[in-house]
Amino acid sequence: MQQRRQIINNRNILIFTIIMIVGWGLMRASINKEQVAKRKSGYPVMELILQRWSSRAMSGELLTNSELMTIFEAARWAPSSYNNQPWRFIYAIKNSPEWNSIFNLLVPFNKLWAKNAAALVVIISANKFTHNNEPSPTHSFDTGAAWANMALQGTSMGLVMHAIEGFDYQKAREELKIPDGFTIEAMLAIGKPARKEVLPLELQEKEVRSGRRPITELIAEGSFEDKLAQ
Ligand SMILES: Cc1cc2nc3c(=O)[nH]c(=O)nc-3n(C[C@H](O)[C@H](O)[C@H](O)COP(=O)(O)O)c2cc1C
């Protein structure tokens, strides 16, 4: 009798565990499905490029150290003029002692949603080449490439990757002790995705994937055309 009860108990625990795992999987899948809702490109591009978007709905869950380092690793491999690698990153993990000093740089609108990020990153770049100490004309361009690598890597891992310019650049320089010779480029919120209902109503309405200008407004063959100035 005792043994039979034990078997039933074990079976119930097993069923409960399976239901939890399947439920969790379905929830994750439905968030992912929301994320890949179709954007249409005029010409075929990699699916990952269309999947990336700037969601604000994050769960507040932390990343593992390995997940976070993988994002920085993606930045490392970006191309740069003279392979100078001018990008640098100052980061804070949610609930760490450093979190508030970066989080408090944000404008109130960005605080509303970025509070649920797992990590915040301040992206800066070295203005001069290391090899000759001459000004680098492309340090921001190179660092933009590093951010793009991070965004695509994070997207491929199912993470929210949201760049931010709404923060106090001057305060960032002072609080984070960023010396002259480095440009503060932008911030980045990284987090695990969540349903849009975690956001205040006004932000839920913004959880839509934006479109893009037509390609014809972006390119001109041979020399500048008025259409590029639109
Ligand atoms: C450098 C940069 C700064 C941005 N700053 C903010 C910001 O301060 N707050 C915000 O909510 N979104 C910000 N965004 C997100 C943009 O609004 C978003 O990338 C743009 O609307 C295109 O949408 P998508 O990223 O979903 O394709 C920023 C994006 C970039 C690349």
Side-chain angles (χ1 to χ4, degrees), residues 39 52-56 109-110 113 147 162-167 186 208-210 212:
R39 270 174 160 179
R52 187 219 55 80
W53 72 293
S54 300
S55 171
R56 297 185 179 87
F109 170 82
N110 285 328
W113 57 271
W147 135 250
H162 197 133
I164 300 173
E165 56 99 40
F167 68 97
V208 285
R209 287 150 197 78
S210 53
R212 289 297 185 266

Side-chain angles (χ1 to χ4, degrees), residues 3-16:
Q3 205 184 1
R4 193 153 173 255
R5 206 170 290 147
Q6 185 62 43
I7 289 170
I8 290 172
N9 260 349
N10 286 347
R11 199 193 58 190
N12 287 348
I13 290 170
L14 184 68
I15 291 171
F16 176 76

Side-chain angles (χ1 to χ4, degrees), residues 12-226:
N12 287 348
I13 290 170
L14 184 68
I15 291 171
F16 176 76
T17 310
I18 290 171
I19 289 172
M20 290 300 285
I21 291 171
V22 170
W24 185 83
L26 286 175
M27 190 194 81
R28 267 283 190 264
S30 84
I31 290 172
N32 279 344
K33 204 162 157 209
E34 250 175 53
Q35 277 195 337
V36 295
K38 285 289 173 226
R39 270 174 160 179
K40 251 189 150 3
S41 63
Y43 292 86
V45 295
M46 283 187 297
E47 194 58 32
L48 191 59
I49 291 174
L50 298 179
Q51 277 176 19
R52 187 219 55 80
W53 72 293
S54 300
S55 171
R56 297 185 179 87
M58 292 175 280
S59 67
E61 237 178 302
L62 294 182
L63 306 182
T64 63
N65 185 56
S66 165
E67 283 172 318
L68 184 59
M69 291 306 132
T70 293
I71 302 293
F72 291 129
E73 185 69 27
R76 266 186 86 210
W77 293 101
S80 58
S81 177
Y82 284 93
N83 196 18
N84 189 53
Q85 304 161 63
W87 44 78
R88 302 288 186 271
F89 307 100
I90 301 171
Y91 70 94
I93 294 169
K94 192 177 168 62
N95 299 332
S96 72
E98 296 84 20
W99 174 261
N100 278 344
S101 64
I102 294 190
F103 180 74
N104 286 333
L105 300 172
L106 294 170
V107 298
F109 170 82
N110 285 328
K111 280 184 176 167
L112 285 176
W113 57 271
K115 66 178 193 306
N116 283 332
L120 290 172
V121 183
V122 178
I123 305 176
I124 64 175
S125 67
N127 300 345
K128 291 185 173 174
F129 287 117
T130 312
H131 68 276
N132 60 6
N133 213 31
E134 289 294 320
S136 159
T138 62
H139 62 91
S140 291
F141 181 81
D142 299 338
T143 305
W147 135 250
N149 269 15
M150 295 166 97
L152 292 177
Q153 178 65 45
T155 301
S156 78
M157 295 158 69
L159 300 175
V160 169
M161 305 292 293
H162 197 133
I164 300 173
E165 56 99 40
F167 68 97
D168 188 331
Y169 279 66
Q170 190 48 44
K171 195 169 157 201
R173 188 171 289 284
E174 289 155 16
E175 299 269 316
L176 309 179
K177 304 183 177 62
I178 299 167
D180 291 347
F182 286 84
T183 299
I184 301 173
E185 302 287 358
M187 269 173 72
L188 166 62
I190 308 174
K192 301 260 174 163
R195 297 194 160 278
K196 67 178 177 188
E197 286 72 22
V198 301
L199 294 169
L201 272 182
E202 70 267 27
L203 290 187
Q204 289 184 29
E205 288 160 16
K206 294 180 188 289
E207 282 294 282
V208 285
R209 287 150 197 78
S210 53
R212 289 297 185 266
R213 287 166 180 261
I215 205 166
T216 47
E217 288 181 10
L218 311 178
I219 59 174
E221 194 169 2
S223 64
F224 195 89
E225 293 175 28
D226 289 346

